[in-house]
Amino acid sequence: MTSAALPLRPEARTAFLRFLAVGVLNTAFGYGVYAAGVLAGLPAQAALALQFLLGALWNYRLHARLVFAVRGWGRLPAYVGAYLLIWALNALALRGLLAAGTGPLAAQALVLPATVILSWGLIGRVMGFHAAGGRS
């Protein structure tokens, strides 16, 4: 990506690229848990709840250490709050796609891009990072 394609300050650009790289790991973990739940016979919403429960701590530690240089667990409650909001919006979008006849695996895959963008904004704020200007 060029600077023009990603109009952020250098610190923010680096953090965003790390966020995307960690996001690949988090997404693989979360989608794997979700898919395993669906394939094991769980309803899509139950599989999403399972993914949330298992993913919250995993994702927090990776974001804290590898993206935002946050030590400890002090921001975990706010992180879980942001994560709950992201999960709720994801669940609503998933419900809509399922109601429209989209299969559960494809529906969640379609929701992922918007979830990533929302996550960058909310989780970055919770972790003390403002996308346009860097660390707060």
Side-chain angles (χ1 to χ4, degrees):
M1 282 187 185
T2 67
S3 303
L6 193 57
L8 303 171
R9 291 184 182 171
E11 179 186 0
R13 188 175 315 115
T14 300
F16 181 71
L17 294 174
R18 283 193 312 255
F19 181 83
L20 290 177
V22 166
V24 169
L25 295 173
N26 288 348
T27 300
F29 178 82
Y31 193 77
V33 169
Y34 172 82
V38 167
L39 295 172
L42 287 177
Q45 293 293 348
L48 186 64
L50 178 64
Q51 177 276 319
F52 171 80
L53 292 172
L54 296 178
L57 292 175
W58 164 275
N59 293 350
Y60 176 80
R61 286 315 293 161
L62 289 182
H63 280 136
R65 285 187 174 208
L66 301 177
V67 179
F68 300 107
V70 170
R71 302 272 184 240
W73 296 91
R75 296 182 191 215
L76 181 62
Y79 183 91
V80 169
Y83 204 77
L84 274 169
L85 178 59
I86 294 162
W87 173 78
L89 294 173
N90 187 149
L92 287 172
L94 180 63
R95 178 183 292 170
L97 288 169
L98 292 171
T102 307
L105 297 178
Q108 184 59 20
L110 290 170
V111 172
L112 283 176
T115 302
V116 168
I117 292 166
L118 180 62
S119 295
W120 166 247
L122 289 177
I123 290 171
R125 289 273 180 190
V126 164
M127 298 304 243
F129 195 87
H130 301 283
R135 184 124 330 262
S136 59

